[in-house]
Amino acid sequence: MGSRITRPRGGARGAAVEIRRATAGDARRLTKLVRGSHAYRGPYASMVAGYRVGQDYIETHEVYVATGEDGRVLGFYALVLDPPELDLMFVADDAQGLGIGRRLVGHLTGRAREAGLDAVRVVAHPPAEGFYRSVGALRTGTVAARPPAVPWDRPEMVLPVGPGDGVTAREGR
């Protein structure tokens, strides 16, 4: 079941964003979003070079996609339930700053809560640490580099999943 939400700012007023379960048919668009992300240029390029979000991955994991009214993919996340971890989260470069990431995290915490989880592990892309902290994640440590695919240390965090959705509360909803 999808969740319709209004875009907080930017774009046309009243433009809606839908967060829905990804389907196998979304695989190519999600792969394109990952590989084209500006956050993974330069020294971080090796992390997504050749990366593929396959149909089997979508069918096996809890993958949710945010789309605009025109059907364009604005972002997505993948939640692993056992052990609980945010495996992937990407927002399209031209949709950043529109609140899509916050909406995805709000959806993620709601889904995690429904699954009976009290927290979700997040191993973040180093430049994304500030974003995750802004939505309530707490730093718990560092995951050491694993060259050649991941030649840098990454912040390890935990995102609490409480009885209420802190992201929604901070948005004033």
Side-chain angles (χ1 to χ4, degrees), residues 85-107:
E85 182 170 0
L86 173 62
D87 191 37
L88 297 169
M89 181 178 214
F90 283 84
V91 174
D93 292 333
D94 63 350
Q96 292 183 12
L98 300 176
I100 303 301
R102 286 184 178 280
R103 302 245 184 213
L104 288 169
V105 169
H107 190 276

Side-chain angles (χ1 to χ4, degrees), residues 3-166:
S3 151
R4 279 191 95 57
I5 48 184
T6 303
R7 185 177 294 192
R9 60 178 194 265
R13 288 275 179 222
V17 173
E18 180 182 13
I19 298 177
R20 60 165 173 78
R21 186 79 184 249
T23 66
D26 291 314
R28 292 179 78 176
R29 296 190 303 167
L30 301 185
T31 296
K32 184 178 178 180
L33 194 154
V34 169
R35 289 183 183 175
S37 174
H38 286 136
Y40 286 89
R41 297 274 163 88
Y44 299 113
S46 65
M47 182 72 173
V48 297
Y51 195 89
R52 184 178 78 82
V53 180
Q55 295 176 3
D56 55 338
Y57 182 87
I58 291 171
E59 292 168 355
T60 304
H61 296 86
E62 299 244 346
V63 181
Y64 291 88
V65 60
T67 59
E69 286 182 329
D70 59 359
R72 186 171 71 90
V73 171
L74 303 173
F76 77 99
Y77 74 87
L79 173 64
V80 174
L81 296 176
D82 189 21
E85 182 170 0
L86 173 62
D87 191 37
L88 297 169
M89 181 178 214
F90 283 84
V91 174
D93 292 333
D94 63 350
Q96 292 183 12
L98 300 176
I100 303 301
R102 286 184 178 280
R103 302 245 184 213
L104 288 169
V105 169
H107 190 276
L108 170 126
T109 57
R111 179 61 200 113
R113 189 177 313 104
E114 288 172 4
L117 305 176
D118 58 4
V120 174
R121 178 179 185 239
V122 177
V123 177
H125 178 49
E129 180 178 4
F131 166 74
Y132 288 112
R133 285 183 165 200
S134 79
V135 295
L138 307 169
R139 178 92 185 239
T140 58
T142 301
V143 174
R146 289 189 343 241
V150 185
W152 61 88
D153 292 344
R154 293 169 292 155
E156 180 176 29
M157 295 176 270
V158 64
L159 182 63
V161 177
D165 182 338

